[in-house]
Amino acid sequence: MQSEPPIHELDAEPPRPWIANTSSIAGSPMANCPPSYQRCTFNAIPNTTQLLSKCKIPLALVTSPFRHLLPGDEPVPVIQPEQIVRCRRCRTYINPWVQFVEQGTRWKCNLCYVVNEVPSFFDWDQETRQPRDRMKRVELTHSVIDFIAPQEYMVRPPQPVVFFFVIDVSYNAIQSGMVATAAKAILSALDSIPNSDSRTKVGIMTVDSTLHFYNLNAQASEPQMLVVADLEDVYLPLPEDLLVLLSESRGIIESLLGRIGDMLKGTQNVQNALGPALKAAYKLLSPIGGKIIVLQATLPTLHDGALKAREDPKLLGTPKEATLLQPASGFYKTLAVDCSRAQVSVDLFAFSPQYTDIATLSGLAKYTGGSTYFYPGFNAARPEDALKFANELTHFLGRPLLLEAVLRVRASRGIRLTAFHGNFFLRSTDLLALPNVNPDNAYAIEMTLEENLSTSLACFQSAVLCTASNGERRIRVVTLAVPTTGNLQDCFLSADQSALAVLLAKKAVERSLSSKIEDARDAIVHKLTEIMGAYKQNFTTSGQAVQLLLPENLKLLPLLILGLLKHAALRATSTVSSDMRAHVLGLQYVFPLEFSITNIHPRFWALHNIDIQSDNNGEGVFPPTLNLTSAKLERHGLYLLETGMEVFLWVGRAIPQELCSLLFDKPSYDQIPSGKVLKIVVNAQMCLIAIFQVILPALQNAYSQKVNGLINKIRQIRLLMFTSYPHLYIVKEDGDQSLRMWFLSHLIEDRIEQAYSYPQWLGHLRDQMAKVSSG
Amino acid sequence: MLRSTIIARLADGLPLAASMDDEEGVDISEYKNQAKQIFKRLSTDSETRCSVESGPYYFHYLIEFGVCYLCLCDRSYPKKLAFSYLEELQKEFNEKYGNEVGTVARPYAFVKFDTFIQKTKKQYKDTRTQRNLHKVNEDLQDVTRIMTKNIHEVLGRGDQLNNMSEMSRRLNEQSQTYLKNAKKMNWQAMWQKYGPPSLVAAIVLLVLYIRIFWW
């Protein structure tokens, strides 16, 4: 193996299943699922249980059926056929990989092999009284489709969109400016909240040591606050008007949001009663369902769900750290499960300079399919913090919403689903209940072979039944077809290293939370050596024992695993606070595939020698990526590193004068400030809308525009992919020590804090392999 | 108390709008199913106004312009008020969405009408308010002419009719068979009674005949 891994393969086209689209029933080019929706760890599945256990690679599916459409993606076709055709035994939806038998009068299900009737409307159009070509039907040509669901798929009329904000107004929250920023952000996002049928409801509650409800009746001249101090037995002070129609009470809501920051300005109240607040919110929302959005800046201290500051820096980095990652109170999980049953989802925005026990609170989002957003040390006086929060909250409120959903994955006969990873509540063995479908999330499903596969094609179908924000009941069906093989070499050659790495990441998170982080790390390394050992045993001769051999498609697997071991979630270190650790673990558990890979293996570019002319239409073409090693850092260089959650700009000590002035508008290196950066905000006419503490100005020269363009493009894509607006940090080569260490910790091919460098890692693996082949 | 409201298209029972109900403490899902079945049984010749009793509740429905407006209320809720509520809904719904009713295909296409339903529901909730008392006393509609039926009749009627025709068909068949068998038996009985003697008589006649002609 080379000492410099070929990282450009990470950005290359992902491997596809080894079957041509022409073998589908209609031969359409869209017959097999695009890898961005669903990927399997194998692209040619072993067809016997012995073969699967021999090759040691886990069989799993990584799926994100409702991913965000990035610019340039095909929209998903929406159809409303006369009848939704499903297999009569296994209830699979008809898809491009079924077979027509008996001269086309019947169809054979590709998951359970039962023969079903083909309905007459497939060949005959009732309305126009004309024959139609069944091979043109969308169900048979597209692998990703949306059905509009008829009445049988509804237990109740489609629910409206409901947003209920639970805002912490204790001392910390007001002082850090969180409340004011949140109020402003919600105010500006009111227009983008989905409200196409004018049924959207909004409510607000503020919490400190008591609960404050607001009467938002549209007829009143101003909002009225009702204080409930009885935390023991929570009740709702009004039967209605706590949750009102957005379109009717818009004026009152705006007036309230405008005053909320000032109303409680001088508060000295440091207590917070989040538990009772959530119980009240649940009471209010349970008849309809909806989203509870919690903005929390303090540790909950009163009554149910009260938490203690249990962080002990001495435990970090030791095996006892795992205790800090376990939830301290079962209250939140129980409440989350109740919420899930009532179709209520909870999202958490946490801001705190001190310990907020994310490990416990994130249980709320985890079991209701919500998300957790963490802003450690938030301070609204720093405009970059405020901007990040405002951007993320606005995008969060404005994105298209899918409610009261359930997800079910079906696989061909012989394949059994064993484990599910992601944010959801598992109901009845294989039904994932999602009160709110999060387009940012992906789900990993582990599978195993129960019996040998008898056919040449294995299929996986994910179906999500949900209500769109305009009241339509929809079913999204995503079908993936993968051929089977009896050849062990084919199995290895078809493995998908990215899907494998992401699966191992999610399993590692689960292991960390159920036992210890060391165990998770050991388990990953063990799995990797198992896979490599299996390959070695079956495909190499004794003479090649000293080399480390892996098939081409798995060449980057050791690098990805190394990145995972060095990731903040799993790193053996005492410098990561337990809040941060819990948060990052929670994120890795739900990251979609592309985002996860970027987070494990950040993208790294050199900017000092980019070709400005290559990008005349301002599209933001990126230079080639570099290997993640400090050997690439030249003293006169300027580099950009992106993890998905942060963006770093490294300035070398000997950076040329010219670049200094072009980019930073500063005469020399010494005068370049380092730290968190605010991007300057300009509108289409290039007029400054906002001018804050400018560190990276958007200057008129081509170089500055190019760099700013790249950074903006990164932010735009990350916002769409995961509602993440990365902070930009300027790191100087001899500047702030902690910032430098943080930057360097992302260069995973280097040796950091007793962890292996890439060549050392390969050496370690080689030693492990030597032990294997001696058998 | 008004419990639930559903508006459906008469032709195929497709639900067009419904109220999001506060079902705390009361499980009315069984009654909702009954409502769905009532819609299926209705046709253009059904009465335009009717009340169906079912357990502790009444279904009141009103049919106008091919749309059926149905509400589920407690027994104690005054009929006049219920029909006045349905009439208000009917007027507003017809004005807003009357022409589109024939064209929609997906269920709950007008679910946004729910906001109007909720507002109207609030007004009619308390049977003792001035407004509602006034309505009850007004002669809005001669409610006594509105038929009250029982749910079992409504749902069961169709079944019973089917049963009747089935039974009568079977009866017909069986009586045909009976006729055939009876005829057969008649013949047999006659044969048994007169067979042997007539046979003997025929033989005797034959012998006599041969004797006479041969000698």
Side-chain angles (χ1 to χ4, degrees), chain B residues 7-213:
Chain B
I7 302 177
R9 190 159 64 186
L10 193 61
D12 52 0
L14 182 76
L16 299 168
S19 57
M20 292 292 300
D21 309 315
D22 185 2
E23 299 186 24
E24 226 176 295
V26 182
D27 181 20
I28 54 173
S29 48
E30 181 198 334
Y31 298 98
K32 286 203 171 161
N33 278 334
Q34 285 182 348
K36 284 198 193 114
Q37 290 180 327
I38 292 180
F39 283 129
K40 286 210 189 98
R41 310 265 174 194
L42 293 176
S43 66
T44 43
D45 344 307
S46 315
E47 302 90 0
T48 51
R49 281 158 210 270
C50 187
S51 302
V52 184
E53 72 168 281
S54 168
Y57 303 111
Y58 263 104
F59 287 104
H60 301 288
Y61 68 79
L62 160 66
I63 303 180
E64 196 84 35
F65 298 123
V67 181
C68 176
Y69 303 83
L70 178 133
C71 72
L72 174 73
C73 349
D74 290 342
R75 266 180 188 247
S76 50
Y77 196 77
K79 255 197 204 176
K80 267 197 185 163
L81 225 46
F83 279 99
S84 149
Y85 164 71
L86 287 176
E87 273 178 20
E88 267 201 54
L89 289 185
Q90 183 262 315
K91 274 198 216 96
E92 182 73 18
F93 186 83
N94 202 36
E95 208 181 292
K96 272 208 181 131
Y97 308 115
N99 356 350
E100 302 170 39
V101 169
T103 59
V104 291
R106 66 179 173 90
Y108 296 108
F110 304 113
V111 69
K112 45 189 139 122
F113 192 63
D114 173 39
T115 40
F116 183 79
I117 297 180
Q118 297 289 2
K119 261 193 276 183
T120 324
K121 204 170 163 177
K122 257 190 268 178
Q123 289 172 343
Y124 279 84
K125 217 174 187 174
D126 189 357
T127 55
R128 276 191 259 267
T129 61
Q130 238 350 48
R131 182 172 178 268
N132 292 343
L133 283 175
H134 179 68
K135 279 221 161 87
V136 173
N137 291 326
E138 230 181 61
D139 198 0
L140 281 173
Q141 169 89 26
D142 195 356
V143 172
T144 54
R145 273 199 272 119
I146 298 178
M147 258 181 83
T148 305
K149 299 198 199 126
N150 186 283
I151 186 79
H152 298 296
E153 279 175 36
V154 175
L155 296 185
R157 191 193 299 159
D159 286 339
Q160 281 176 3
L161 276 175
N162 283 343
N163 279 350
M164 285 305 295
S165 72
E166 180 69 36
M167 286 201 306
S168 63
R169 194 181 57 79
R170 246 186 280 146
L171 197 62
N172 212 8
E173 258 175 68
Q174 282 179 353
S175 57
Q176 297 274 14
T177 322
Y178 180 73
L179 190 65
K180 260 191 265 164
N181 285 346
K183 275 196 195 149
K184 206 157 72 172
M185 279 194 72
N186 232 5
W187 258 112
Q188 277 183 353
M190 211 161 69
W191 182 247
Q192 271 183 357
K193 197 164 174 197
Y194 298 111
S198 51
L199 201 63
V200 167
I203 292 175
V204 166
L205 278 171
L206 194 69
V207 166
L208 280 172
Y209 181 69
I210 292 173
R211 244 200 218 146
I212 295 176
F213 279 115

Side-chain angles (χ1 to χ4, degrees), chain A residues 160-163 189-202 244-250 253 397-401 468-471, chain B residues 112 115:
Chain A
V161 173
V162 177
F163 280 113
L190 281 180
D191 273 326
S192 45
I193 290 182
N195 196 5
S196 55
D197 57 356
S198 313
R199 286 167 75 208
T200 303
K201 292 188 159 189
V202 173
V244 292
L245 285 172
L246 177 60
S247 15
E248 278 186 4
S249 305
R250 178 72 183 253
I253 296 173
L397 291 175
R399 65 185 185 201
L401 211 52
S469 47
N470 60 359
Chain B
K112 45 189 139 122
T115 40

Side-chain angles (χ1 to χ4, degrees), chain A residues 42-73:
Chain A
F42 284 102
N43 286 317
I45 299 182
N47 60 4
T48 62
T49 47
Q50 297 136 313
L51 210 56
L52 181 62
S53 52
K54 218 173 173 187
C55 89
K56 300 284 183 217
I57 299 178
L59 175 63
L61 196 68
V62 179
T63 177
S64 32
F66 264 110
R67 56 175 275 270
H68 251 305
L69 291 173
L70 296 174
D73 281 343

